Amino acid sequence: MDCHFTPDERGKFVKDLDYLVLTLPLTDATHHIINRDILLAMKPKACLINFGRGALIDEGDLIPVMQSGHLQAATLDVFEKKPLPKDHVFWSMLNVYVTSVIFNYINNQFILIL
């Protein structure tokens, strides 16, 4: 292991990543684990991908960060509110890619549904 980060060092963990892929379950400890501080700690033009649970990301914090262009892109498969409302700003953002739950957990395996 080259590096070890404690939960309090999430900002240090994300600062050099090109891609941050979330596959975490939703717990009290992971609710809004990705917030404004973490998003802004990511290097400019990094990409955020969430296949975990919608509430891992504070969407209220993500929207202005994406609007500012700090991150290159966000690919979101899950959202805090399901289904994502038709008038949600994510639908019109060119750097946010909305997918339709393309991963599922079946028989102890992650399955990509295309």
Side-chain angles (χ1 to χ4, degrees), residues 39 58-68 88-90 93:
L39 294 166
D58 185 329
E59 292 178 4
D61 288 351
L62 179 61
I63 291 167
V65 170
M66 297 310 297
Q67 289 171 331
S68 76
H88 197 286
V89 69
F90 286 154
M93 297 177 77

Side-chain angles (χ1 to χ4, degrees), residues 2 4 8 12 24 32 50 70 76 80 88 93 112:
D2 292 336
H4 178 266
D8 293 337
K12 285 175 59 177
L24 297 167
H32 287 178
N50 187 11
H70 177 72
L76 307 173
E80 290 192 79
H88 197 286
M93 297 177 77
L112 176 62

Side-chain angles (χ1 to χ4, degrees), residues 67-92:
Q67 289 171 331
S68 76
H70 177 72
L71 296 181
Q72 179 75 28
T75 300
L76 307 173
D77 192 54
V78 290
F79 306 93
E80 290 192 79
K81 184 175 181 183
K82 298 181 274 186
L84 187 65
K86 292 179 183 180
D87 62 346
H88 197 286
V89 69
F90 286 154
W91 291 112
S92 63

Side-chain angles (χ1 to χ4, degrees), residues 4-100:
H4 178 266
F5 298 94
T6 66
D8 293 337
E9 297 176 310
R10 289 184 192 110
K12 285 175 59 177
F13 170 74
V14 301
K15 76 178 184 72
D16 292 320
L17 299 178
D18 292 320
Y19 297 90
L20 177 59
V21 180
L22 304 175
T23 60
L24 297 167
L26 183 60
T27 66
D28 289 342
T30 63
H31 183 265
H32 287 178
I33 194 169
I34 304 301
N35 57 29
R36 182 180 186 278
D37 293 339
I38 298 300
L39 294 166
L40 293 178
M42 294 175 70
K43 73 181 186 181
K45 304 305 177 189
C47 297
L48 174 66
I49 302 167
N50 187 11
F51 294 121
R53 296 289 180 250
L56 297 175
I57 300 173
D58 185 329
E59 292 178 4
D61 288 351
L62 179 61
I63 291 167
V65 170
M66 297 310 297
Q67 289 171 331
S68 76
H70 177 72
L71 296 181
Q72 179 75 28
T75 300
L76 307 173
D77 192 54
V78 290
F79 306 93
E80 290 192 79
K81 184 175 181 183
K82 298 181 274 186
L84 187 65
K86 292 179 183 180
D87 62 346
H88 197 286
V89 69
F90 286 154
W91 291 112
S92 63
M93 297 177 77
L94 297 178
N95 58 348
V96 175
Y97 300 91
V98 174
T99 63
S100 178

